[in-house]
Amino acid sequence: MRDRAAEIAAGTTVDVGDVTTRYLLYGLLPGWFVPGLADWVMHRRTRIEETSGTKESLIHSLMMAEVGLPIALTLRYEVNPLLLTVQLGGAAVHEATALWDVRTAVDSDREVKPLEQHIHSFLESLPFGALAALMCLHADQVKSLARGGRGDKDAWRLVPRRRPLSPGYLTGIGAAIGACVLLPYGEELLRCARTARARKKLSKKGR
């Protein structure tokens, strides 16, 4: 059996769209959890609850929502001008919030080590990588967005996927989000909130 490189060199038809979609669903999206977990480990090692505290942890929650909403919509609905607008807006706002996040950490006593900064580079670039791939897959919808959706009755409404993702896949991604995002970062926020309450109690006793 000839390998894929040989098939491409020989001019054999390769469905790039299907390959890119599989990469997004089974490569990039699951792989996103790795730097996310690594970043949580760095926060824990630098004792975020004792330094930048609840403020930075809430910023982390905000960034996850800014990325999570476009992802959730993309898994359930067709890519069209409305969804592209949500995706582009989410990526832009996420980048601005990431700058706020780092500034908050640097202004506190928490040391943002080179390794954590390197992890951030993955977390910041992945949304743009995913969005670029989606825009290549849906160039017709990018053109429609550039025209303001004129002539497309479905341009500005959510349209359910014509080929829905399997319940098994959606369940698996949901479980991974719970285990790799909601659970660790929820624990971080709870830890920060508990430390803040303990400090407040000590402050009242010291008066």
Side-chain angles (χ1 to χ4, degrees), residues 53-63 188-189:
T54 306
K55 179 180 178 181
E56 188 185 358
S57 188
L58 285 171
I59 293 174
H60 297 158
S61 298
L62 177 60
M63 285 193 293
E188 175 185 285
L189 183 57

Side-chain angles (χ1 to χ4, degrees), residues 21-81:
T21 299
R22 285 197 296 272
Y23 161 70
L24 288 171
L25 292 175
Y26 299 101
L28 189 145
L29 183 54
W32 210 326
F33 300 131
V34 176
L37 272 175
D39 200 34
W40 170 76
V41 170
M42 296 304 299
H43 301 161
R44 191 175 181 88
R45 287 178 61 183
T46 53
R47 299 189 63 78
I48 186 174
E49 69 275 12
E50 300 289 346
T51 52
S52 52
T54 306
K55 179 180 178 181
E56 188 185 358
S57 188
L58 285 171
I59 293 174
H60 297 158
S61 298
L62 177 60
M63 285 193 293
M64 285 180 281
E66 291 164 353
V67 170
L69 177 61
I71 289 175
L73 292 176
T74 305
L75 292 175
R76 298 302 300 271
Y77 298 98
E78 290 289 333
V79 174
N80 63 5

Side-chain angles (χ1 to χ4, degrees), residues 2-165:
R2 303 174 70 181
D3 63 27
R4 183 64 68 182
E7 290 179 354
I8 293 173
T12 304
T13 299
V14 176
D15 193 328
V16 177
D18 283 348
V19 172
T20 304
T21 299
R22 285 197 296 272
Y23 161 70
L24 288 171
L25 292 175
Y26 299 101
L28 189 145
L29 183 54
W32 210 326
F33 300 131
V34 176
L37 272 175
D39 200 34
W40 170 76
V41 170
M42 296 304 299
H43 301 161
R44 191 175 181 88
R45 287 178 61 183
T46 53
R47 299 189 63 78
I48 186 174
E49 69 275 12
E50 300 289 346
T51 52
S52 52
T54 306
K55 179 180 178 181
E56 188 185 358
S57 188
L58 285 171
I59 293 174
H60 297 158
S61 298
L62 177 60
M63 285 193 293
M64 285 180 281
E66 291 164 353
V67 170
L69 177 61
I71 289 175
L73 292 176
T74 305
L75 292 175
R76 298 302 300 271
Y77 298 98
E78 290 289 333
V79 174
N80 63 5
L82 173 59
L83 194 49
L84 284 171
T85 300
V86 173
Q87 293 164 344
L88 288 165
V93 173
H94 178 268
E95 183 65 18
T97 308
L99 292 172
W100 180 26
D101 172 45
V102 174
R103 174 56 59 190
T104 299
V106 170
D107 287 345
S108 73
D109 294 328
R110 192 170 81 79
E111 181 183 5
V112 182
K113 298 183 178 181
L115 178 57
E116 183 177 346
Q117 293 175 3
H118 191 59
I119 291 169
H120 288 170
S121 69
F122 283 95
L123 292 172
E124 290 181 44
S125 62
L126 283 170
F128 292 102
L131 186 52
L134 273 175
M135 292 176 77
C136 289
L137 282 172
H138 301 279
D140 59 330
Q141 296 304 318
V142 175
K143 292 178 181 178
S144 179
L145 175 60
R147 296 193 302 266
R150 289 192 299 273
D152 183 356
K153 62 183 178 61
D154 293 329
W156 300 106
R157 70 184 187 90
L158 291 174
V159 179
R161 276 178 170 268
R162 286 184 286 274
R163 294 172 59 191
L165 297 174

Side-chain angles (χ1 to χ4, degrees), residues 47-51 53-54 188-202:
R47 299 189 63 78
I48 186 174
E49 69 275 12
E50 300 289 346
T51 52
T54 306
E188 175 185 285
L189 183 57
L190 181 60
R191 182 161 29 95
C192 289
R194 283 175 174 170
T195 301
R197 285 197 299 269
R199 282 181 172 175
K200 187 175 291 186
K201 287 180 180 179
L202 286 175

